[in-house]
Amino acid sequence: MSSTAASAPSLKRKESMVAREGDQLIITPLGAGNEVGRSCVYMTYKNKIVMFDCGIHPAYSGMAALPYFDEIDPSTIDVLLVTHFHLDHTASLPYFLEKTTFKGRVFMTHATKAIYKLLLSDYVKVSKVSVEDMLFDEQDILRTMDKIEVIDFHQTMEVNGIRFWCYTAGHVLGAAMFMVDIAGVRVLYTGDYSREEDRHLRAAETPQFSPDVCIIESTYGVQLHQPRAIREKRFTDVIHNVVSQGGRVLIPAFALGRAQELLLILDEYWAGHPELHNVPIYYASPLAKRCLAVYQTYINAMNDRIRTQFEGSNPFDFKHIMPLKSIENFEDDGPSVVMASPGGLQSGLSRQLFDIWCQDKKNACIIPGYVVEGTLAKTIMNEPKDVTLMSGLQAPLNMQVHYISFSAHADFSQTSAFLNELQPPNIILVHGEANEMGRLKQKLMTQFADQNIRVLSPKNCQTVEMHFNAEKTAKAIGRLAEKTPEVGSQVGGLLVRKGFTYQIMAPEDLHVFTQLSTGTVTQRLSIPYKGAFTVLRHRLQQLYEGVETLNEDVPTLKVHGKVLVKQVGMDYVVLQWVSDPITDMVSDSIIAMMMNFNPESPKMKTSDVESTEGKAVDTSKIVQSLLVSLFGDVKELDGKLIVSVDGVVANVDHTSNTVDCENENLRERIKVALRRMEIAIKPVRM
């Protein structure tokens, strides 16, 4: 296996694309290549195409926020797999499904689909962009709901020969890592994942086997998260101190995801501190009630801790937290804690409250997770003296800014341990800023320096090409698998191909393991004949040993135990048989014999087999192409054919049907193939 990275001007399926080697795996980030945002990865192998995620870049608007869809032909994509509901992984889905030529199938988990609709509908309402920059509307979102199919964790699906299943990814409710298998080559796409169990989510699973390629997030690069207990204490201490001094605390967070985790922490802290009960906590999102309803619905998808709590009381029925739909309903007359969306402070309730509170030094803004370059939240982390308000005016930034990450992305220790367990021979880094990704790449290369593991970090639209030497293996099943065959013995049965898998089974098992069934074709042919039936019987007995007379209503002979010859009328006989290769050959010979001695029938002329140089060349080409289809590597040298199979070489002289090979098994296989080709190519002599 080898891999290279190269810039590709376009991935649209053209003639050059079809002409590529069938065993070449191509992976190209259309987004999230050396950046965080608009996650979208394109993959093709064996002329099958998979796309992972379909997000937008939160720092841009309009078409500029989309992945590089113009680099591909959407109509050629077989499957689109969406890992979780965050906007940078799903928000271009309505555009892609409704406004491009995409006609493949889309899969995500049940919880992701439920939350996707809520989150995208809210995104359309709060987006402060012009009509021209609107990528889709609410009707587009509703239409996509009918096109999205759901998949359970560990459920295996197959579409056009592409097998895939998913594992729990942690991160947010419903988040999944997808394993894709095409012709035995396995690719794991992690999406966003976390191996740390929190108050309500399970940790990411580790697949039970190593993939050939792991496409993995690199959001935090080589950074290490503080222990969870320390982060929670810092978080509650900052809030307690600010509200005790009469200040307000703004926590910009997306409506779903980390918000629920932080609300669980706050509700528990308030319950243990009666002195704070007069300080209100608001969950400021138009989706507040509906979001919590979704979380209550999918309680069984969460960890043991939250499910145990749910048996006694609903942990998401908060005692100290109130919903806040809009700023018009907010009475800002004292200390309070407000968690508001969106997390990047680009617009919406979080931005409105920031503009009001940012000039008071008693107030604080807590950034609770990863924020993307280009957003206001990222800007204020550097504590500038002034900020630009939504009105366009400049204002001093006096409020305190604290970065306390509860982001459910893997840090370096989690990423390192995960890859060390999986040991994938190829690692592709996505979803990370260029500098962080570069540092992570170097550290991983050092970690796996003594192993044959490649680490790549392609930019957007930069193609990674890998070559796999796929072997075709057929698995014996059913009756054929009941007894282990001896070495060198032959196994006979039906070879059934489904997608890229091959199975050998007995004809009797066909209906058990497939949707196919065996059948018979009975052929019946009338031949003009006015001679005596006894003469016909005499002729047949000269040709065949097994000719018996049957006692039926009309004179009847059975030839070779399978072909019935009946004198139905005075001037014709009827041949009847159940079709198979041998019986068809017997029937053909009977027909040829009758047409030659029957005076009423046209005579069959002996074929003149020409041995001209031209025909010899044609035969040579036919034999070579047939051997290529059977054995793969076949070359012509000095009039002979050289067949190579797994390092074993055979010299074939097709003119004399001789095979020179040290491996007896391969020699016999080629001889059988040559005999069958001779029968198929050369005409039958009469």
Side-chain angles (χ1 to χ4, degrees), residues 570-583:
M570 295 298 295
D571 54 357
Y572 70 94
V573 296
V574 171
L575 265 65
Q576 183 175 313
W577 71 97
V578 175
S579 189
D580 66 50
I582 294 176
T583 311

Side-chain angles (χ1 to χ4, degrees), residues 185-253:
V185 174
R186 288 173 172 158
V187 178
L188 176 68
Y189 178 76
T190 66
D192 294 351
Y193 78 105
S194 173
R195 302 189 80 200
E196 179 183 64
E197 183 168 310
D198 59 25
R199 286 172 178 263
H200 72 294
L201 292 176
R202 300 170 181 154
E205 297 177 87
T206 302
Q208 66 270 35
F209 47 76
S210 173
D212 298 288
V213 183
C214 181
I215 307 172
I216 189 168
E217 72 151 312
S218 53
T219 313
Y220 279 95
V222 297
Q223 297 178 45
L224 297 173
H225 296 323
Q226 282 186 322
R228 184 170 186 83
I230 294 176
R231 282 179 282 154
E232 286 193 14
K233 187 175 187 310
R234 282 181 59 210
F235 179 68
T236 53
D237 283 353
V238 167
I239 294 172
H240 198 143
N241 291 337
V242 171
V243 298
S244 296
Q245 296 171 21
R248 284 93 165 156
V249 179
L250 172 63
I251 307 171

Side-chain angles (χ1 to χ4, degrees), residues 327-514:
I327 201 157
E328 288 78 18
N329 302 327
F330 180 48
E331 295 181 8
D332 189 12
D333 54 5
S336 62
V337 179
V338 181
M339 185 175 297
S341 61
L345 294 172
Q346 312 97 297
S347 58
L349 282 165
S350 64
R351 181 58 183 271
Q352 290 173 310
L353 290 171
F354 176 84
D355 284 5
I356 296 169
W357 292 349
C358 69
Q359 299 179 54
D360 191 338
K361 64 182 180 182
K362 289 192 298 182
N363 300 334
C365 179
I366 299 177
I367 309 295
Y370 187 87
V371 285
V372 177
E373 290 287 348
T375 58
L376 178 62
K378 186 71 171 181
T379 301
I380 66 171
M381 282 173 59
N382 297 320
E383 299 186 8
K385 290 183 178 180
D386 301 301
V387 289
T388 304
L389 306 179
M390 282 196 293
S391 63
L393 299 175
Q394 291 287 112
L397 178 63
N398 296 324
M399 75 189 310
Q400 307 164 44
V401 178
H402 300 271
Y403 176 61
I404 306 172
S405 178
F406 289 90
S407 178
H409 291 274
D411 65 357
F412 176 71
S413 64
Q414 293 181 38
T415 299
S416 173
F418 184 67
L419 292 173
N420 201 48
E421 290 175 32
L422 282 182
Q423 293 284 312
N426 301 281
I427 300 168
I428 296 179
L429 303 178
V430 294
H431 199 284
E433 298 297 342
N435 291 335
E436 287 294 342
M437 188 182 286
R439 284 192 282 268
L440 176 61
K441 179 180 178 181
Q442 290 302 318
K443 203 152 186 178
L444 290 175
M445 288 172 68
T446 302
Q447 177 179 336
F448 298 114
D450 58 343
Q451 301 171 51
N452 189 24
I453 293 178
R454 297 171 178 82
V455 184
L456 302 167
S457 56
K459 298 176 182 177
N460 285 336
C461 303
Q462 186 178 19
T463 291
V464 174
E465 297 178 356
M466 302 178 184
H467 298 268
F468 291 91
N469 298 320
E471 296 181 355
K472 293 180 180 177
T473 304
K475 183 188 292 184
I477 60 174
R479 301 179 194 195
L480 295 182
E482 291 175 357
K483 185 179 179 182
T484 304
E486 297 179 4
V487 177
S489 64
Q490 294 184 350
V491 176
L494 296 176
L495 181 64
V496 179
R497 173 182 172 180
K498 183 180 180 184
F500 296 106
T501 61
Y502 296 83
Q503 295 174 326
I504 300 176
M505 63 189 75
E508 298 81 7
D509 289 334
L510 189 66
H511 72 282
V512 177
F513 296 102
T514 73

